């Protein structure tokens, strides 16, 4: 009962009585109350004490407080016990973002990136050392695992790689013909397609597809084993996880990515030839003769030179991120995404470095 600025309580205030109470409405009613009179309360339990303390805290605004009066000694002790064990109220404090804070965040990110870079270089060294040990003792190579990963990485990826390269060749021919037709130089579309596909797009887009398809699979597979503590069990048994898990995957990528790049080159040229025939009337015989006569074999060789390096980058990053997975599914998903993003970024960076290098040496 509300009597002006006083809220008079009577009877029993226990958990059964609070179940049907609209607490939001009770809080609104308590905002105009200054005193809660408990003299007529005959019984109160912990839930009732929490309700009174919550009313007292929610009704207090600014300098105005709500007093609890008429409580007996046991009731006072119960209220104090509940008040001491209530969690503190969350106070949203917005700290102004200073220049020093921003520099600190940038510095932390740089340090974390440098640490990850050093760890990846160390992981690369471990993998190369394991490969060298296999060269000394070939019986350590797990041939069954290597063949399995060659099938997963290479053979199963042929349809998507061939379709992607075919469509890229079609797009290059279509867009190139639209521009070259303005100058009456439609025949040069053959050179455009050949150089673009053989030198850059064929192997680069193949590496990007493999990074999204196989690199993420490496991280997920090794990360799942890390979550189930299978890698720790390998070390306990005296087995080297790098030799068993990483080396077959990296070797499979280094063997199959050049083959996939070759398939992408052929598919891209076929797609470009078909679209040139449809759009420009350049017959397949003319396309082939101009391709053979005007395209240097080094354009194809440059693409094949890049392939093992791209494969090594994808394999090392995918396996490293898998080894870094923690014990929860959130870590597995986050590092799988990070593996794909970092692999694609590093492949593009490496391709840019190769382009600069070959331009400097005049190839």
């Amino acid at each position: 009962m509300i009597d002006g600025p006083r809220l008079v309580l009577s009877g029993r205030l226990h958990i059964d009585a609070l179940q049907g109470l609209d607490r939001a409405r009770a809080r609104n009613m308590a905002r105009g109350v200054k005193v809660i009179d408990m003299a007529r309360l005959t019984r109160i339990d912990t839930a009732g004490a929490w309700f009174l303390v919550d009313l007292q805290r929610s009704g207090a605004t600014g300098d105005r407080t709500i007093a609890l009066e008429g409580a007996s000694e046991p009731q006072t002790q119960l209220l104090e016990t509940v008040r001491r064990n209530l969690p503190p109220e969350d106070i949203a404090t917005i700290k102004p973002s200073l220049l020093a804070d921003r520099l600190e965040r940038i510095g932390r990110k740089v340090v974390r990136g440098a640490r990850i870079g050093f760890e990846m270089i160390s992981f690369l060294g471990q993998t190369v050392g394991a490969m060298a040990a296999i060269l000394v003792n070939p019986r350590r190579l797990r041939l069954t695992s290597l063949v399995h990963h060659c099938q997963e990485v290479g053979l199963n990826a042929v349809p998507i790689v061939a379709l992607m390269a075919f469509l890229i060749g079609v797009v290059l021919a279509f867009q190139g013909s639209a521009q070259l037709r303005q100058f009456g130089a439609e025949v040069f579309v053959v050179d455009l397609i050949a150089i673009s596909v053989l030198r850059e797009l064929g192997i680069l887009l193949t590496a990007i597809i493999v990074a999204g398809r196989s690199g993420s699979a490496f991280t997920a597979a090794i990360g799942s084993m890390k979550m189930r503590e299978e890698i720790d069990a390998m070390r306990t048994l005296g087995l080297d996880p790098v030799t068993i898990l990483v080396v077959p995957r990296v070797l499979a990528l280094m063997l199959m990515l050049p083959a996939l790049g070759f398939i992408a080159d052929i598919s891209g040229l076929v797609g470009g030839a078909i679209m040139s025939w449809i759009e420009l009337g350049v017959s397949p015989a003319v396309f082939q003769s101009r391709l053979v006569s005007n395209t240097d074999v080094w354009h194809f060789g440059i693409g094949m030179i890049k392939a093992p390096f791209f494969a090594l980058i994808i394999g090392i990053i995918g396996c490293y991120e898998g080894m870094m997975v923690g014990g929860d599914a959130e870590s597995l998903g986050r590092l799988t995404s990070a593996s794909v993003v970092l692999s694609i970024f590093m492949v593009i960076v490496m391709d840019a470095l190769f382009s600069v290098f070959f331009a400097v040496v005049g190839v």
Side-chain angles (χ1 to χ4, degrees):
M1 181 180 64
I2 298 179
D3 183 12
R6 297 177 66 87
L7 176 61
V8 181
L9 301 177
S10 61
R12 297 181 177 183
L13 188 62
H14 50 79
I15 189 170
D16 295 332
L18 294 173
Q19 287 180 353
L21 182 64
D22 189 350
R23 297 181 182 179
R25 182 180 179 186
R27 288 183 178 182
N28 291 331
M29 294 171 60
R31 289 179 180 175
V33 173
K34 296 182 179 179
V35 178
I36 298 178
D37 189 353
M38 302 174 53
R40 299 182 185 179
L41 281 179
T42 59
R43 181 181 174 185
I44 182 174
D45 62 0
T46 306
W50 172 84
F51 176 70
L52 291 176
V53 173
D54 183 64
L55 281 181
Q56 186 182 27
R57 292 175 61 176
S58 62
T61 57
D63 297 333
R64 187 176 70 87
T65 59
I66 298 178
L68 299 176
E69 295 182 355
S72 62
E73 184 65 25
Q75 292 173 349
T76 303
Q77 293 178 1
L78 179 60
L79 289 170
E80 290 299 326
T81 301
V82 171
R83 188 178 288 110
R84 285 196 304 268
N85 289 277
L86 281 179
E89 293 185 354
D90 294 332
I91 301 175
T93 57
I94 302 176
K95 183 180 178 181
S97 180
L98 302 177
L99 179 60
D101 298 330
R102 297 179 182 178
L103 292 177
E104 180 185 1
R105 287 194 295 268
I106 294 174
R108 290 182 183 276
K109 291 180 180 179
V110 170
V111 171
R112 184 168 63 251
R115 177 180 58 80
I116 293 175
F118 284 123
E119 290 179 356
M120 282 190 181
I121 293 174
S122 175
F123 189 74
L124 173 62
Q126 295 179 32
T127 305
V128 173
M131 290 180 179
I134 289 175
L135 289 177
V136 175
N137 186 7
R139 289 180 299 177
R140 299 182 61 182
L141 176 64
R142 297 181 176 267
L143 188 59
T144 303
S145 178
L146 177 62
V147 173
H148 168 73
H149 290 300
C150 284
Q151 179 180 356
E152 291 294 324
V153 171
L155 186 60
N156 294 345
V158 168
I160 183 63
V161 169
L163 179 60
M164 176 274 304
F166 179 85
L167 294 177
I168 289 298
V170 169
V171 171
L172 282 175
F174 184 78
Q175 296 294 334
S177 63
Q179 301 299 321
L180 294 175
R181 186 183 289 112
Q182 302 176 17
F183 308 99
E186 295 92 336
V187 71
F188 288 101
V189 74
V190 179
D191 305 75
L192 172 66
I193 296 170
I195 295 175
S196 300
V197 171
L198 295 178
R199 191 181 183 105
E200 293 292 340
L201 294 181
I203 190 61
L204 178 61
L205 295 180
T206 301
I208 290 175
I209 288 179
V210 170
R213 184 182 178 276
S214 301
S216 60
F218 291 172
T219 303
I222 296 177
S224 299
M225 298 179 68
K226 185 77 180 297
M227 290 174 58
R228 294 192 296 263
E229 299 182 354
E230 295 179 23
I231 294 179
D232 295 333
M234 286 183 183
R235 293 193 176 100
T236 303
L237 294 174
L239 302 175
D240 183 16
V242 175
T243 302
I244 296 174
L245 300 177
V246 178
V247 170
R249 288 174 166 84
V250 174
L251 284 179
L253 272 177
M254 296 181 70
L255 290 174
M256 299 311 298
L257 191 59
L260 290 175
F262 176 76
I263 293 173
D265 291 343
I266 299 299
S267 299
L269 293 177
V270 170
I274 292 176
M275 181 53 64
S276 299
W277 191 13
I278 295 174
E279 185 70 17
L280 299 176
V282 178
S283 65
V286 175
F287 189 96
Q288 179 185 2
S289 62
R290 188 166 183 86
L291 176 67
V292 173
S293 60
N294 289 3
T295 304
D296 192 349
V297 70
W298 266 109
H299 294 314
F300 172 75
I302 287 172
M304 292 297 102
I305 290 173
K306 297 176 183 179
F309 294 93
F310 291 170
L312 185 63
I313 290 173
I314 296 169
I316 291 298
I317 293 177
C319 295
Y320 167 80
E321 297 293 352
M323 290 291 188
M324 294 296 107
V325 171
D328 55 342
E330 188 274 336
S331 174
L332 177 62
R334 177 172 50 83
L335 290 178
T336 301
S337 300
S339 169
V340 176
V341 173
L342 186 58
S343 297
I344 294 176
F345 174 75
M346 291 305 300
V347 163
I348 295 175
V349 170
M350 182 60 67
D351 183 71
L353 294 177
F354 269 117
S355 298
V356 173
F357 171 75
F358 288 124
V360 170
V361 298
V363 178

